[in-house]
């Protein structure tokens, strides 16, 4: 069943289109059936309609139907849109990749991982499809962290436990949420007396999405706290995980708290819409082509790189709402779109630069000045975001072994990017990290420097074969467990 419901709500002339696909699979033919996945999809569909999304609801999808539904989703989204994908049903991890299981997935046994791959939908492929459509904001939510659906009494199942793997190195503009952490399973209900038609995660997440003035990070954090507290009441560990690769804050139900009271528009306006029936407060230069910025911290200070969709003839900027605009200059490169020298997209800020709003404007290809556009600079948030991206990209360098008066394992790399880390756990000859590494506190003035009195290594016994490591990031999300062998 594929139902399409479009919200006939008035929208600002420059607002991006909001499109959602929600899928719920209960009626599995060869693996255990589920009870609440379809209800979860319907609840999420109703919730997203209230937030101004055009919603496609698909239920009990076979592999062919799943493919046709994704094609319909492809056609519904366009460049600059906000896309929301929700899946409730069986999911399965194979070699660190997550697969969404259609209702006709075969009953596989040991050694038949390829059979499952061929019959299922790769979660990363959904991200790629949205990236190919050049959507501005992609939100992916998976309530699929259940037990191994292929386990059978008396047989050896396809290798895999409960839960799904983290989606590492997501591209910019993607926000993902899992109903449980890595290798955790999600609860459908709290007890036999729990009469809710929805899973513990979905009933909580749907309510949090409707809270006005909360950005996506706040929604995810509040959800994980509430779900974790409910799961603990019955002795179960379920901590929803999320990954944030957004440049700006994303508000699905109103601007940031306090903005409406002052009449000041939020500079972080990606995907921001007010609550239904409340007039939008927005600057007159609001544009889907407003620049975005990437902040990178180095020893000398900050590098800020502006990304502008339009061809540009010049870029200028200033800190705050007053003062002269400064030109960024030009590179010794021709822009093939304008056949002129390419404006320098980067500026430098001092290491001690404080939180402020950067006003950016540019001259488009027709010679018209566009902007200024406000970009919020928060040094602490930018530092954490930048270091998290570096850690994700350099996961193979987290630990290194050295022979020096015995066997040592160094974690200097983790210390250098510790501002993005809340906790580091390692396991010695164990796949379960159970030892907490002591890390010096973050120094925002010189974040990469390692204090002289810090010990960046562990002494190991000569027989040690491997060390596993798991990071808990500052936002509470947990990395995939990595193993490092001598």
């Amino acid at each position: 069943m594929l139902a399409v419901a479009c919200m006939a709500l008035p929208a600002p002339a420059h607002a991006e289109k909001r499109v959602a696909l929600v899928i719920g699979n209960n009626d599995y033919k060869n693996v255990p059936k589920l009870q609440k996945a379809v209800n979860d999809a319907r609840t999420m569909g109703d919730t997203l309609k209230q937030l101004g999304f055009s919603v496609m609801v698909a239920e009990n999808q076979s592999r062919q139907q799943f493919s046709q539904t994704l094609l319909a989703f492809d056609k519904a989204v366009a460049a600059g849109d906000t896309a929301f994908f929700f899946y409730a049903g069986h999911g399965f991890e194979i070699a660190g990749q997550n697969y969404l299981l259609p209702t006709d997935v075969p009953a596989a046994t040991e050694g038949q991982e390829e059979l499952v791959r061929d019959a299922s939908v790769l979660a990363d492929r959904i991200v790629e499809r949205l990236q190919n459509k050049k959507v501005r904001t992609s939100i992916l939510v998976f309530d699929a962290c259940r037990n191994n659906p292929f386990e059978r009494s008396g047989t050896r199942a396809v290798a895999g436990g409960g839960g799904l793997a983290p989606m590492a190195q997501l591209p910019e503009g993607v926000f993902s949420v899992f109903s449980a952490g890595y290798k955790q399973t999600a609860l459908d209900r709290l007890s036999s007396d729990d009469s809710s038609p929805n899973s513990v995660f979905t009933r909580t997440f749907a309510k949090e999405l409707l809270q006005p003035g909360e950005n996506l990070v706040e929604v995810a954090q509040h959800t994980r706290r509430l779900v974790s507290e409910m799961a603990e009441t019955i002795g179960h560990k379920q901590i929803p995980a999320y990954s944030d690769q957004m440049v700006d804050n994303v508000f699905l139900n109103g601007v940031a708290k306090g903005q409406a009271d002052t009449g000041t528009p939020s500079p972080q306006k990606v995907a921001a819409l007010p609550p239904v029936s409340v007039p939008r407060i927005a600057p007159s230069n609001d544009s889907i082509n407003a620049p975005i910025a990437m902040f990178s911290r180095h020893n000398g200070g900050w590098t800020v790189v502006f990304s502008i969709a339009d061809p540009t003839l010049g870029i200028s900027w200033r800190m705050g709402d007053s003062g002269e605009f400064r030109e960024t200059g030009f590179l010794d490169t021709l822009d093939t779109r304008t056949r002129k020298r390419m404006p320098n997209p980067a500026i430098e800020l001092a290491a001690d630069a404080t939180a402020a709003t950067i006003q950016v404007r540019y001259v488009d290809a027709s010679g018209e000045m566009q902007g200024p556009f406000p970009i919020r600079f928060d040094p602490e948030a930018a530092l954490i975001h930048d270091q998290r991206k570096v850690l994700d990209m350099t996961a193979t360098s987290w630990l290194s072994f050295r022979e020096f008066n015995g066997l040592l394992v160094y974690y200097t790399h983790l210390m250098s990017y510790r501002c993005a880390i809340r906790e580091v756990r390692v396991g010695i000859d164990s796949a379960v990290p159970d030892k907490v590494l002591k890390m010096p506190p973050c120094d925002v003035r010189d974040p990469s420097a390692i204090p002289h009195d810090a010990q960046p290594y562990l002494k190991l016994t000569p027989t040690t074969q491997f060390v596993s490591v798991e990071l808990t990031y500052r936002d509470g999300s947990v990395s995939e467990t990595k193993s490092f062998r001598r």
Side-chain angles (χ1 to χ4, degrees), residues 191-215:
S191 70
S192 57
D193 298 327
D194 186 347
S195 60
S196 173
N198 297 120
S199 71
V200 174
F201 169 80
T202 295
R203 73 181 77 165
T204 306
F205 184 67
K207 289 180 180 178
E208 285 300 318
L209 278 176
L210 294 175
Q211 295 297 320
E214 288 189 2
N215 61 40

Side-chain angles (χ1 to χ4, degrees), residues 237 239 398-399 409 411 414 421-439 458 466-473 477-484:
K237 186 175 182 180
I239 306 174
W398 288 356
L399 301 181
V409 61
Y411 50 98
L414 296 178
I421 300 172
R422 179 184 297 175
E423 184 180 74
V424 180
R425 287 180 173 269
V426 296
I428 310 302
D429 279 337
S430 171
V432 180
D434 54 5
K435 177 182 177 63
V436 177
L437 292 184
K438 185 178 180 181
M439 303 285 282
L458 285 177
F466 74 96
V467 177
S468 62
V469 60
E470 177 187 85
L471 308 184
T472 300
Y473 294 107
S477 59
V478 180
S479 74
E480 180 182 354
T481 301
K482 304 287 186 181
S483 292
F484 294 81

Side-chain angles (χ1 to χ4, degrees), residues 258-302:
Q259 294 288 342
D261 297 333
T262 63
T264 303
S266 169
Q268 295 162 317
K269 55 186 177 298
V270 179
L273 280 183
V276 176
S277 78
V278 177
R280 186 186 189 195
I281 302 173
S284 59
N285 60 14
D286 184 21
S287 170
I288 201 167
N289 290 326
I292 58 177
M294 292 287 293
F295 299 95
S296 179
R297 185 68 160 83
H298 50 80
N299 290 339
W302 291 93

Side-chain angles (χ1 to χ4, degrees), residues 7 20 40 69 71 104 114 119 152 183 206 219-220 222 225 232 244 257 261 266 283 304 320 335 346 364 422 477 483:
M7 293 297 292
D40 290 340
T69 298
L71 285 173
D104 57 354
E114 199 64 33
R152 293 289 187 279
K183 293 300 182 183
V219 169
H222 294 165
R225 176 177 58 82
E232 285 180 359
D244 175 16
K257 294 176 180 177
D261 297 333
S266 169
V304 186
D335 188 335
D364 64 21
R422 179 184 297 175
S477 59
S483 292

Side-chain angles (χ1 to χ4, degrees), residues 31 81 88 173 176 194 214 315 348 403-404:
V31 298
D81 284 351
S176 67
D194 186 347
E214 288 189 2
I315 303 171
E348 300 292 326
E403 296 277 356
F404 182 77

Side-chain angles (χ1 to χ4, degrees), residues 202-267:
T202 295
R203 73 181 77 165
T204 306
F205 184 67
K207 289 180 180 178
E208 285 300 318
L209 278 176
L210 294 175
Q211 295 297 320
E214 288 189 2
N215 61 40
L216 277 179
V217 172
E218 292 171 324
V219 169
Q221 289 177 340
H222 294 165
T223 299
R224 63 185 281 136
R225 176 177 58 82
L226 292 170
V227 170
S228 175
E229 290 174 353
M230 286 190 286
E232 285 180 359
T233 64
I234 61 170
H236 183 77
K237 186 175 182 180
Q238 179 182 346
I239 306 174
Y242 69 93
S243 177
D244 175 16
Q245 295 299 327
M246 310 305 300
V247 174
D248 298 307
N249 283 336
V250 176
F251 299 90
L252 293 182
N253 192 20
V255 294
K257 294 176 180 177
Q259 294 288 342
D261 297 333
T262 63
T264 303
S266 169

Side-chain angles (χ1 to χ4, degrees), residues 47-335:
T47 299
L48 293 171
K49 290 174 190 176
Q50 294 181 60
L51 295 172
F53 282 84
S54 297
V55 181
M56 309 167 67
V57 181
E59 300 175 1
N60 295 321
Q61 299 279 281
S62 66
R63 182 63 180 88
Q64 182 177 354
Q65 290 169 334
F66 212 134
S67 296
Q68 292 171 340
T69 298
L70 290 175
L71 285 173
F73 191 39
D74 284 347
K75 294 177 181 179
V77 297
D81 284 351
T82 294
F84 196 116
F85 176 83
F86 174 86
Y87 173 79
H90 279 308
F92 195 70
E93 174 205 347
I94 299 176
Q97 291 188 305
N98 296 321
Y99 293 85
L100 311 182
L101 306 188
T103 56
D104 57 354
V105 65
T109 56
E110 183 183 19
Q112 294 183 323
E113 287 82 5
E114 199 64 33
L115 187 64
V116 178
R117 286 192 183 99
D118 291 345
S120 303
V121 175
L122 179 63
D124 285 337
R125 179 59 183 142
I126 296 171
V127 178
E128 293 176 9
R129 295 170 80 131
L130 294 175
Q131 290 291 297
N132 291 339
K133 297 294 290 188
K134 301 187 185 303
V135 301
R136 179 155 187 171
T137 302
S138 299
I139 306 164
L140 298 97
V141 182
F142 303 96
D143 193 355
C145 307
R146 294 173 167 84
N147 291 320
N148 184 343
F150 300 105
E151 289 181 340
R152 293 289 187 279
S153 176
T155 66
R156 293 183 63 85
V158 173
L164 296 176
M167 295 179 73
Q169 300 184 11
L170 289 172
E172 185 179 298
V174 179
F175 193 95
S176 67
V177 186
F178 290 84
S179 59
Y182 181 51
K183 293 300 182 183
Q184 295 176 1
T185 55
L187 294 169
D188 266 355
R189 59 183 182 173
L190 294 170
S191 70
S192 57
D193 298 327
D194 186 347
S195 60
S196 173
N198 297 120
S199 71
V200 174
F201 169 80
T202 295
R203 73 181 77 165
T204 306
F205 184 67
K207 289 180 180 178
E208 285 300 318
L209 278 176
L210 294 175
Q211 295 297 320
E214 288 189 2
N215 61 40
L216 277 179
V217 172
E218 292 171 324
V219 169
Q221 289 177 340
H222 294 165
T223 299
R224 63 185 281 136
R225 176 177 58 82
L226 292 170
V227 170
S228 175
E229 290 174 353
M230 286 190 286
E232 285 180 359
T233 64
I234 61 170
H236 183 77
K237 186 175 182 180
Q238 179 182 346
I239 306 174
Y242 69 93
S243 177
D244 175 16
Q245 295 299 327
M246 310 305 300
V247 174
D248 298 307
N249 283 336
V250 176
F251 299 90
L252 293 182
N253 192 20
V255 294
K257 294 176 180 177
Q259 294 288 342
D261 297 333
T262 63
T264 303
S266 169
Q268 295 162 317
K269 55 186 177 298
V270 179
L273 280 183
V276 176
S277 78
V278 177
R280 186 186 189 195
I281 302 173
S284 59
N285 60 14
D286 184 21
S287 170
I288 201 167
N289 290 326
I292 58 177
M294 292 287 293
F295 299 95
S296 179
R297 185 68 160 83
H298 50 80
N299 290 339
W302 291 93
T303 296
V304 186
V305 179
F306 303 118
S307 179
I308 301 173
D310 291 337
T312 60
L313 301 178
I315 303 171
S316 56
W317 66 284
R318 72 182 180 195
M319 296 295 286
D321 297 325
S322 60
E324 297 293 326
F325 279 87
R326 288 176 279 178
E327 301 291 332
T328 62
F330 294 88
L331 304 176
D332 292 330
T333 304
L334 289 180
D335 188 335

